[in-house]
Amino acid sequence: MKRFLVALLGAGGTLVAQGTGDYFNVESPQVKPIAVARVAGHDYLLVCNTPDNSVEIYDTHTNGFVTRVRTGPEPVSVEFNPVTQRLYTANFLGDSITVANLSATGPLAPLQVQFETTLYVGDEPADVAFSLDGSLLLVSLSSRSVMRVL
């Protein structure tokens, strides 16, 4: 504990707060940055890489990196729709959602990822969800405290 306190002390023994320097780091709030996608009987981990504007996909059997899907600026939520076999991200800073199709011919076949689109949905989308039958996409817009139905 002593080392931590010493590290925070600046010149003259004064306490220095984070963010008081020349660089101020502001990050979008992550809401649901991790999801699991089951494609052709095989599970994949979908992870928002918010600073990189992408979703990274990992194989849950090998723990290996599969691919990266480019999104709009600062994805904060990712969701997989098993009905349509698509991943959706809420891009907080981009005011958009990104859609990509995931497919494979079998559990041992390589995952195919095809970017579909990035759609403008309104100011600061924070999360995405689906209706019970998977036919409707619900997007929460945090700045206006509303939900859009697509």
Side-chain angles (χ1 to χ4, degrees), residues 95-144:
D95 299 338
S96 62
I97 58 167
T98 297
V99 183
N101 186 38
L102 305 181
S103 63
T105 57
L108 300 177
L111 181 69
Q112 302 297 315
V113 179
Q114 182 176 353
F115 170 83
E116 289 193 10
T117 189
T118 296
L119 302 168
Y120 174 79
V121 292
D123 195 28
E124 297 178 349
D127 201 4
V128 293
F130 306 101
S131 60
L132 291 177
D133 65 358
S135 64
L136 297 176
L137 175 66
L138 310 168
V139 181
S140 67
L141 303 177
S142 64
S143 66
R144 296 182 359 205

Side-chain angles (χ1 to χ4, degrees), residues 24-87:
F24 186 67
N25 186 21
V26 178
E27 295 179 4
S28 296
Q30 291 193 333
V31 178
K32 188 179 176 200
I34 300 173
V36 175
R38 176 159 281 199
V39 180
H42 193 96
D43 291 335
Y44 297 92
L45 195 62
L46 311 174
V47 181
C48 289
N49 186 337
T50 302
D52 188 47
N53 303 326
S54 66
V55 169
E56 295 178 353
I57 301 175
Y58 294 89
D59 186 322
T60 62
H61 293 267
T62 65
N63 294 328
F65 175 77
V66 175
T67 191
R68 177 177 286 114
V69 178
R70 290 286 169 203
T71 66
E74 299 204 2
V76 295
S77 292
V78 62
E79 187 67 63
F80 179 71
N81 186 336
V83 174
T84 63
Q85 296 287 288
R86 290 182 174 95
L87 73 82

